[in-house]
Amino acid sequence: MNQHPNHGTQAVPPGYSERLYNEDLAPLKDKNWNWYNIFAFWMSDVHSVGGYVFAGSLFALGLASWQVLVCLLVGIGIVQYMANLVARPSQQAGIPYPVVCRLSFGVFGANIPAVIRGLIAVAWYGIQTYLASAALVIVVLRFFPELAYLTQTKFVGLSILGWYAFMAMWLLQAAVFWRGMEAIRKFIDWAGPLVYLVMFLLMGWIVYKAGWNNISFSLSEKSLSGFDAAWQMVIATVLVVSYFSGPTLNFGDFTRYAKSMDDVKKGNFWGLPVNFLLFSVVTVIVISGTLPLFGRIIHDPIETVGLIDNTTAAVLGALTFVSATIGINIVANFVSPAFDFSNVNPQKISWRMGGMIAAVGSVFLTPWNLFNSPEVIHYTVDTLGAFIGPLYGIMLMDYYVVQKRHIDVDALYSDKPGNTYWYENGYNKAAIKALVPAAILALICSHVPGLREYLGHFALFVGGFVGAYLYKTLARCPQAVAARLAAARS
């Protein structure tokens, strides 16, 4: 028996190691998520300020509307396919992303991909919290304009009112998270649909005020044709896949709760191609209508809602988008580091503590300064993102090709030498040797001037395919097999 934060006393099952097990990381037996919960997960991921701006940006590439819609469908189709692949091992064994990584990286080596994903989530958690707080500031000033003086004094780059709003969002998200996955499930079940209601009402109001004849499905001032159009279509497709790459990587953190893979696939279908395409079309109608209505194109939905002449409608709309941003933040950037950091030291870091480490760390990053310096956030996230592709490649190649979908669940929690995922001292050198050169190649594509302009958007794919190929080669080579057999015999 041993003491564990937030769990009280818990028993470690026979044969399991304290270094690899706690109740949060344990394989689930009782799975209660259905297809709608998975659908709601994707709605929360898409229906945010970031998703709104991203969807609108695709229509500003200079492509015809039908070309953009083709790119959306192809790109989101790839995301759906990847999401189904990533979902299966977690749904099969009831285990979160960092535990799935033990299959390919070893029981201790799994901390490498877990920490990489966790760090990316921490950076984005702070930025999304800041964006939600900025929307809250607009709402507060709409009701209490006399508080404008609090925006004049700044501390560490953020105004006093900004600090109040940021900490209010920080505490609200922490409160939802602290209540556990069931509370998160209930929150995202209503947050995503509520944004649709507001979006359709906003679209109706925009069309009524601006007139349908003034609505255009092209937000670009330029028009492309021939090779230029074809290249931008490729770029647009890749951007869609890249946008969802982070949440999809640790999608298993949620599909471990799903009753069946059929539920996952159905939820992915409605939540990705159907949902994202509809949301994108509604977004473009709203953005396009801002030009004749306000005299300029407005890409920020909070700003658009703030210009509505009815204060109650404006505030309700803004608060809905704030709720949606909280939803995506919890889904994409809170749950992931909660499991990832807990995996590093299961007996001292619970799921809740792991999430709070991420939340506290995001404050010290002062995300408003990162967001105000695109170069810094761009290079930081791109650098970490260069590892995402290889992690995809290694994880999927291992599960589907090397392991052939077989999971020895008990061995995932055992530190006994010779067990299935012990490899060499708990680390699979084949995975590490595949990760490093694949990540370096992805970094070259995304950072080296001259290559960046052409290959920067493809870093995810380059890293993924190279990582998968190298891992398949190394994992099957005679030396690797001999080393595993020798370790098993010892």
Side-chain angles (χ1 to χ4, degrees):
M1 305 293 284
N2 59 320
Q3 296 297 317
H4 185 276
N6 302 315
H7 291 288
T9 302
Q10 65 167 350
V12 176
Y16 285 22
S17 169
E18 291 185 349
R19 302 166 67 189
L20 299 168
Y21 176 90
N22 65 28
E23 290 179 1
D24 301 316
L25 299 173
L28 284 176
K29 303 299 181 185
D30 182 24
K31 303 175 184 180
N32 59 359
W33 284 38
N34 57 30
W35 73 270
Y36 177 79
N37 303 131
I38 301 297
F39 172 42
F41 166 88
W42 289 118
M43 277 198 288
S44 290
D45 201 21
V46 172
H47 301 179
S48 66
V49 174
Y52 180 102
V53 173
F54 173 72
S57 71
L58 294 177
F59 285 82
L61 292 173
L63 299 172
S65 298
W66 70 267
Q67 293 172 318
V68 177
L69 292 177
V70 168
C71 297
L72 285 174
L73 283 174
V74 174
I76 208 67
I78 295 172
V79 174
Q80 181 189 2
Y81 178 72
M82 294 296 293
N84 287 338
L85 290 179
V86 171
R88 187 176 290 277
S90 287
Q91 195 284 322
Q92 175 184 332
I95 53 178
Y97 162 74
V99 178
V100 172
C101 290
R102 294 176 187 176
L103 274 77
S104 51
F105 280 84
V107 289
F108 297 134
N111 286 322
I112 298 171
V115 169
I116 290 171
R117 178 65 185 99
L119 290 175
I120 294 172
V122 171
W124 279 114
Y125 179 80
I127 292 169
Q128 291 281 10
T129 302
Y130 166 67
L131 290 175
S133 70
L136 184 60
V137 168
I138 293 174
V139 174
V140 170
L141 291 177
R142 182 78 181 242
F143 266 124
F144 306 103
E146 65 272 15
L147 295 178
Y149 77 96
L150 291 175
T151 62
Q152 305 304 315
T153 306
K154 291 190 174 183
F155 174 69
V156 201
L158 188 63
S159 70
I160 300 302
L161 185 58
W163 269 105
Y164 281 130
F166 181 84
M167 292 313 299
M169 290 297 97
W170 192 94
L171 290 170
L172 180 58
Q173 292 173 130
V176 174
F177 170 81
W178 197 260
R179 293 179 63 85
M181 283 299 295
E182 186 63 17
I184 292 173
R185 181 183 68 83
K186 290 178 180 177
F187 184 88
I188 63 178
D189 276 356
W190 66 261
L194 195 61
V195 174
Y196 254 135
L197 176 62
V198 171
M199 283 288 287
F200 277 114
L201 290 174
L202 184 59
M203 180 181 70
W205 182 79
I206 288 280
V207 172
Y208 173 74
K209 289 283 189 178
W212 182 253
N213 292 334
N214 292 318
I215 301 296
S216 169
F217 276 88
S218 177
L219 301 177
S220 178
E221 298 178 355
K222 60 183 180 179
S223 180
L224 300 175
S225 60
F227 176 79
D228 289 337
W231 180 246
Q232 283 302 318
M233 287 182 71
V234 173
I235 295 296
T237 302
V238 169
L239 286 173
V240 173
V241 179
S242 298
Y243 179 79
F244 288 98
S245 63
T248 307
L249 180 64
N250 68 292
F251 187 38
D253 288 341
F254 299 89
T255 60
R256 67 186 298 227
Y257 299 94
K259 295 177 182 177
S260 69
M261 269 305 297
D262 286 339
D263 280 311
V264 173
K265 290 179 178 178
K266 185 177 179 181
N268 284 347
F269 172 75
W270 288 102
L272 287 166
V274 176
N275 171 54
F276 187 54
L277 188 63
L278 179 61
F279 183 77
S280 298
V281 170
V282 174
T283 294
V284 171
I285 293 175
V286 173
I287 293 176
S288 178
T290 60
L291 180 60
L293 200 55
F294 303 115
R296 59 192 175 92
I297 288 181
I298 302 173
H299 291 93
D300 186 343
I302 303 294
E303 186 179 352
T304 302
V305 168
L307 292 171
I308 297 175
D309 48 20
N310 184 302
T311 299
T312 303
V315 170
L316 286 175
L319 288 177
T320 302
F321 275 105
V322 168
S323 298
T325 303
I326 290 173
I328 185 181
N329 216 11
I330 291 175
V331 163
N333 304 318
F334 213 148
V335 172
S336 174
F339 283 119
D340 294 336
F341 295 149
S342 178
N343 191 72
V344 174
N345 194 333
Q347 291 305 306
K348 292 186 177 179
I349 304 176
S350 68
W351 181 76
R352 286 186 174 90
M353 185 180 292
M356 294 312 296
I357 289 172
V360 172
S362 71
V363 178
F364 285 98
L365 280 176
T366 61
W368 46 89
N369 291 323
L370 283 177
F371 193 74
N372 290 330
S373 177
E375 293 80 11
V376 175
I377 183 62
H378 187 74
Y379 278 95
T380 301
V381 174
D382 269 5
T383 299
L384 291 169
F387 290 84
I388 288 185
L391 294 180
Y392 268 114
I394 294 167
M395 182 171 69
L396 296 178
M397 179 60 71
D398 179 75
Y399 174 70
Y400 286 96
V401 178
V402 178
Q403 309 283 358
K404 301 188 184 303
R405 300 191 186 185
H406 175 74
I407 300 177
D408 183 351
V409 177
D410 290 336
L412 290 170
Y413 300 89
S414 171
D415 59 1
K416 182 180 178 182
N419 272 3
T420 309
Y421 310 115
W422 177 251
Y423 297 102
E424 296 179 56
N425 298 316
Y427 294 84
N428 184 7
K429 291 184 178 178
I432 298 171
K433 288 178 179 178
L435 172 64
V436 173
I440 290 174
L441 194 57
L443 285 170
I444 291 172
C445 292
S446 60
H447 285 75
V448 175
L451 285 177
R452 180 185 182 85
E453 291 75 14
Y454 298 98
L455 297 176
H457 294 304
F458 297 89
L460 178 78
F461 291 88
V462 171
F465 284 116
V466 172
Y469 173 77
L470 289 177
Y471 182 75
K472 180 182 178 182
T473 303
L474 293 167
R476 287 172 172 266
C477 74
Q479 293 87 344
V481 174
R484 290 187 64 179
L485 289 174
R489 283 194 294 267
S490 64

